[in-house]
Amino acid sequence: MTEQLPFISETSSLPLLSSMCRVRREEHFRVQGKTVSRPMLCLILKGDGVLVLNDQVYTAQANHLFFLQPGTIMEAAARSAVTEFLLLSMDTVRLQQVHGEWKMTSAPGFPLGWQTGRLLVRHERQAVSRCEQLYETYRGAQPDHFISIHSQLQDLLQYLSENRLEENYERVDPALERSIMYMRQFMSEGISMDQLAKIAGLTASSYSRSFKKAKGMSPTDYLNRLRIDEAKKQLQQEHCVLKDVAESVGYGNEYYFSRKFKQSVGIAPSLYMKKDQLRVATASITGLHENLSSLGMHPVAVMDEFRDREQNEAEQHRQLNQQLDRLRQAKPDLIIADFYHKTHYDRLRGIAPTVVLDPPSDWKEYHFRLAELVGRDKQALQNVKQLELRSLEAGLHLQHHFGEERILLMQVTAQSIRIHEYAAHPLDHLLYGELGLQPAQIISTDVMTGKYSADSIPLLDTDYLFIHRISNQPASEKLLRRMKQTAAWNRSAAVLKGNVHDISDWPLMCWNPFGRYQIIDELEQIVQQHRSLSRAGLIGQL
């Protein structure tokens, strides 16, 4: 039997099919807090929505395949009117040869070592087809199904194992995986590149190239990351000793360990040990203090070095010094700054240890990075999960109202009119991705913000226009009045229908959970206002 299963050839454990079912659910399908008791495969056949596994949020769409370890807590919410999925539950048995006979007993765990989460597989449609064929056999649609279902299960698992993909969609290489297992097992010892290459059955140069292509980093960097991740776990335990932690993860010298740790995490391990007790200040124009508040921690001081172009240089310099003085008086243990404050790093570091966060690719990355620095990782996961479910629920209502009608965001400053373009920005991901709204056709995908004078704005070809007034100075009000006299404004469908609304600073608010909740609330208030005016027969008369 093990010859058919080379991926478990070193163990006597074997997965067997326990049950299999095809589930179809209608609109508003929800699953809340279900605990998985057996190893399970979940294949989405139709529909889309959100799947939460142990507080980790995944987008679930047709043909997506997920593996769930026993003990996984599962939540789900569907966007689509109809959702269909296959659930395949397994038991693990242990085979032992006693006096020449095979004995089979129940065994814990799952022999393939897969982690809870989405399984990326090459030839996705073939994987789906194999799952559906197994289900038909399980239902007894084929002769001798009781004999063939377990054989088909082993074939399916072997196929998935051999065709698993990395996050970057490179094929999982079992040889590289063996070397990573060795890293994990012997990270406290000296590990050479030659050792790892030998385990993988490659030359050192080929191993290094293959590893970097698959993992996006060198084997040395990957090993350092494993060591730092393990060190983080140990540093959160009571009564840990820095020297012992350094030795246990392969850094014999605690000073070298401290340097590597700070390079990776941003703060020294001595600070990391008490991170949930630190007095933290922020220096940010991207709302880091709001991010902290959503994690249940309020900063002792907040610096926001926003440069108002209507202020002269002397006034800006005075306000900067005032904010730095307030930071000193607060005596923080740690200052967390965004990338806009990098120019002040030396002055901030003179007040307290300072971490400057790199420009993030999305707001979640920002949130999780901040949570790690202050010991609020679990709260960050909860925030993301709850916000994903809130966005899904709100998106269904908003899409029902807006339908195919399009929206456009505009910012008014003292100098120019800015049209927010469709780009890789957290606000676009929220509005056009999670909430499913439609961007106006005049929006470009090449730039983030188009700037115009009042007389040069393009025709505002949109059904809804949302305006944020960045400045309340007389110059910005004058610019807004001038724009409202143009043909581009007065011919806009949004203006003619009375669908022009003032909004808060959505491009800034979208970087933290509180702000994203507020954006959703404002949109729902706009919808409610529109419905109230429609019932009163006032739409189109504004």
Side-chain angles (χ1 to χ4, degrees):
M1 185 174 293
T2 54
E3 290 180 359
Q4 299 176 9
L5 302 169
F7 52 92
I8 58 169
S9 60
E10 298 179 0
T11 180
S12 56
S13 295
L14 184 70
L16 297 178
L17 186 62
S18 172
S19 65
M20 197 170 183
C21 61
R22 184 177 184 131
V23 181
R24 177 186 171 91
R25 292 291 183 266
E26 304 299 328
E27 197 170 2
H28 307 308
F29 169 58
R30 296 288 188 275
V31 175
Q32 294 184 334
K34 180 178 177 61
T35 301
V36 176
S37 59
R38 293 183 174 91
M40 181 180 291
L41 287 172
C42 175
L43 172 64
I44 311 299
L45 297 173
K46 182 182 295 185
D48 69 283
V50 170
L51 182 62
V52 184
L53 305 175
N54 293 334
D55 291 328
Q56 185 69 46
V57 180
Y58 299 90
T59 298
Q61 298 176 347
N63 297 335
H64 284 190
L65 181 65
F66 297 87
F67 175 72
L68 288 67
Q69 284 276 16
T72 297
I73 299 176
M74 177 175 62
E75 297 180 62
R79 286 192 182 93
S80 48
V82 175
T83 303
E84 287 189 27
F85 52 93
L86 282 177
L87 290 177
L88 186 159
S89 297
M90 292 168 281
D91 286 316
T92 302
V93 297
R94 184 172 299 279
L95 299 175
Q96 292 178 308
Q97 195 171 30
V98 180
H99 303 305
E101 295 184 359
W102 285 101
K103 302 291 185 180
M104 187 167 62
T105 57
S106 178
F110 188 70
L112 298 183
W114 296 346
Q115 300 300 311
T116 291
R118 186 179 169 198
L119 275 180
L120 294 172
V121 186
R122 280 192 309 173
H123 313 305
E124 192 176 64
R125 279 301 312 167
Q126 189 170 347
V128 171
S129 177
R130 286 171 179 262
C131 289
E132 291 178 325
Q133 288 174 12
L134 176 58
Y135 175 66
E136 292 302 318
T137 303
Y138 178 79
R139 292 177 62 212
Q142 299 176 7
D144 300 325
H145 66 282
F146 291 109
I147 298 174
S148 61
I149 54 173
H150 296 302
S151 176
Q152 283 192 39
L153 174 65
Q154 312 313 327
D155 289 342
L156 171 64
L157 296 178
Q158 183 166 340
Y159 177 82
L160 296 177
S161 182
E162 292 175 348
N163 290 277
R164 281 194 305 137
L165 299 175
E166 306 281 358
E167 290 184 2
N168 62 359
Y169 291 91
E170 288 287 337
R171 183 177 178 274
V172 173
D173 189 333
L176 297 184
E177 292 298 306
R178 286 197 300 270
S179 71
I180 291 173
M181 290 177 62
Y182 184 88
M183 291 183 193
R184 294 182 185 277
Q185 186 173 358
F186 299 104
M187 69 170 64
S188 62
E189 303 176 9
I191 299 177
S192 70
M193 184 71 68
D194 288 338
Q195 283 177 296
L196 296 173
K198 185 176 180 180
I199 291 168
L202 299 169
T203 65
S205 58
S206 295
Y207 173 73
S208 182
R209 285 195 303 271
S210 299
F211 196 100
K212 189 167 186 178
K213 183 178 180 182
K215 301 296 183 181
M217 66 182 74
S218 70
T220 301
D221 289 341
Y222 194 90
L223 176 58
N224 280 328
R225 192 178 74 173
L226 291 178
R227 285 170 164 165
I228 296 299
D229 287 346
E230 176 59 28
K232 289 178 187 177
K233 297 176 185 177
Q234 296 188 28
L235 290 171
Q236 295 180 65
Q237 299 174 3
E238 291 186 18
H239 311 302
C240 69
V241 178
L242 199 58
K243 181 181 179 181
D244 294 341
V245 173
E247 291 178 352
S248 71
V249 296
Y251 297 107
N253 185 316
E254 65 180 284
Y255 301 104
Y256 177 65
F257 164 65
S258 294
R259 188 167 83 249
K260 297 295 289 185
F261 189 93
K262 187 173 182 180
Q263 287 175 356
S264 175
V265 181
I267 58 176
S270 55
L271 268 183
Y272 192 87
M273 292 169 68
K274 54 180 182 179
K275 60 180 180 175
D276 57 346
Q277 304 167 14
L278 297 177
R279 291 167 49 82
V280 179
T282 63
S284 163
I285 69 171
T286 54
L288 280 179
H289 60 290
E290 295 284 358
N291 254 306
L292 270 184
S293 296
S294 70
L295 294 168
M297 174 179 280
H298 300 288
V300 297
V302 175
M303 175 180 174
D304 182 352
E305 213 259 312
F306 172 74
R307 292 184 178 272
D308 189 337
R309 293 183 180 180
E310 296 180 356
Q311 290 181 340
N312 59 46
E313 188 173 340
E315 178 63 19
Q316 291 178 0
H317 185 71
R318 185 185 67 82
Q319 289 190 4
L320 172 62
N321 286 330
Q322 283 183 342
Q323 293 192 59
L324 289 170
D325 286 341
R326 285 196 290 270
L327 281 182
R328 292 188 190 94
Q329 293 168 8
K331 298 180 179 179
D333 300 312
L334 177 67
I335 299 173
I336 304 176
D338 67 8
F339 46 94
Y340 292 107
H341 286 68
K342 192 172 185 177
T343 55
H344 303 303
Y345 176 73
D346 290 337
R347 299 179 73 175
L348 295 173
R349 187 179 59 175
I351 298 172
T354 300
V355 177
V356 178
L357 301 184
D358 293 329
S361 59
D362 61 54
W363 78 272
K364 295 176 192 174
E365 177 187 332
Y366 218 39
H367 195 56
F368 286 134
R369 181 76 177 93
L370 190 65
E372 180 190 28
L373 290 170
V374 297
R376 299 291 196 278
D377 306 73
K378 291 182 179 179
Q379 183 59 52
L381 285 169
Q382 282 291 322
N383 288 344
V384 171
K385 179 188 76 172
Q386 292 168 7
L387 187 53
E388 288 277 1
L389 295 174
R390 173 75 174 101
S391 299
L392 184 146
E393 180 182 17
L396 294 174
H397 299 151
L398 294 172
Q399 289 169 39
H400 179 73
H401 173 79
F402 288 98
E404 295 301 315
E405 292 190 307
R406 298 181 177 273
I407 68 171
L408 180 68
L409 272 65
M410 175 184 290
Q411 294 177 307
V412 181
T413 74
Q415 293 81 27
S416 64
I417 306 293
R418 302 178 184 175
I419 294 179
H420 185 87
E421 309 288 6
Y422 184 78
H425 189 279
L427 181 57
D428 301 308
H429 294 160
L430 174 62
L431 296 177
Y432 311 126
E434 296 171 27
L435 298 178
L437 305 183
Q438 301 298 317
Q441 291 181 341
I442 66 170
I443 291 179
S444 167
T445 59
D446 299 326
V447 293
M448 187 172 296
T449 305
K451 295 183 180 181
Y452 304 90
S453 66
D455 296 320
S456 68
I457 62 168
L459 176 64
L460 302 175
D461 186 14
T462 183
D463 301 293
Y464 284 82
L465 180 60
F466 302 137
I467 300 178
H468 170 233
R469 307 184 190 202
I470 294 180
S471 171
N472 290 321
Q473 298 294 327
S476 63
E477 291 301 312
K478 182 178 179 181
L479 192 67
L480 186 58
R481 287 196 301 270
R482 176 70 189 121
M483 179 182 65
K484 289 184 177 180
Q485 295 172 0
T486 65
W489 172 273
N490 287 292
R491 292 178 182 174
S492 169
V495 174
L496 294 173
K497 295 176 183 178
N499 292 335
V500 180
H501 303 273
D502 287 325
I503 60 171
S504 303
D505 192 354
W506 289 3
L508 177 61
M509 293 157 53
C510 66
W511 288 99
N512 68 82
F514 284 165
R516 293 175 83 86
Y517 276 118
Q518 188 176 341
I519 292 170
I520 294 171
D521 289 343
E522 285 190 35
L523 278 166
E524 291 186 328
Q525 289 168 10
I526 288 169
V527 169
Q528 184 60 42
Q529 176 187 352
H530 186 276
R531 288 173 177 168
S532 297
L533 292 173
S534 179
R535 286 194 294 268
L538 298 176
I539 292 295
Q541 301 180 27
L542 298 182

